[in-house]
């Protein structure tokens, strides 16, 4: 079995609410998380909701990171999806969890793009 | 058990390679998919890779849609993450699968943001 990518779905609880509601700060730590994992940042898009909450994405050469925050619950839903061998998505996930001041994090890794035969692709 | 969101991870195979390699077209069908599900589009960021492949995201009020394409494999990894009761992520997923000219699609729905007590949040 050959897979193209690794996708971590992280449930991050007990976070600092002020951080979760700060779009600029969330954007910065998301980009830092991508860089921490050795990823190459391509596009960034973040949005601040009213009255609270931030959603955003960092598109990387190796796939993406996303976040959605609920400051009132101290909760963030985070995804880190990476392709190739050079980037470890757990590095980004762990870095981000620390920066959000989280109480606890649970995560699942899902394999994406499963092929029976070895795959030869242009960008890995 | 109360959950904030529904997250579909879709593996879409046997797609039309020309579509998968066309950034403008991929962006258009991703936005259309969001609208098809009744979502409100907030931010859009797409990137074309060299020599091939497209990555992109549509940030919606209800969370996000992402796509990564491998035209050489006819494969797209798609995520549709929605919160609230007004949007059905499967509508977006099914619409997109049709527009990519896919041979077959397999998908898993994951619950995100699980709380024991009913949650009262600002934006749902």
């Amino acid at each position: 079995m050959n897979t193209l990518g690794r996708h971590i779905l992280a449930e991050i609880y007990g976070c600092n609410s002020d951080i979760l509601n700060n779009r600029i700060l969330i954007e910065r730590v998301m980009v830092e998380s991508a860089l921490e994992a050795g990823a190459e940042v391509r596009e960034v898009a973040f949005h601040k909701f009213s009255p609270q909450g931030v959603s955003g994405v960092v598109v990387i050469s190796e796939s993406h990171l996303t976040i959605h925050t609920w400051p009132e619950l101290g909760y963030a839903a985070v995804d880190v999806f990476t392709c190739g061998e050079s980037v470890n998505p757990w590095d980004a996930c762990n870095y981000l969890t620390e920066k959000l001041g989280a109480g606890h994090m649970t995560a699942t890794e899902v394999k994406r793009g499963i092929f029976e035969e070895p795959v030869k692709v242009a960008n890995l």
Side-chain angles (χ1 to χ4, degrees), chain A residues 29-109:
Chain A
V29 297
M30 286 287 284
V31 169
E32 286 175 355
S33 298
L35 297 174
E36 185 75 13
E40 187 182 26
V41 174
R42 295 287 192 156
E43 309 278 345
V44 174
F46 282 78
H47 189 83
K48 173 75 168 66
F49 290 97
S50 177
Q52 54 193 338
V54 174
S55 282
V57 62
V58 181
V59 177
I60 56 178
S61 295
E62 301 81 3
S63 290
H64 73 251
L65 295 82
T66 63
I67 189 168
H68 304 283
T69 77
W70 282 262
E72 67 273 45
L73 299 173
Y75 166 73
V78 169
D79 287 65
V80 184
F81 182 177
T82 67
C83 298
E85 300 299 319
S86 64
V87 176
N88 184 343
W90 289 100
D91 290 341
C93 189
N94 292 333
Y95 179 89
L96 183 61
T97 300
E98 181 189 334
K99 293 296 180 185
L100 296 181
H104 56 111
M105 184 268 283
T106 61
T108 306
E109 180 177 324

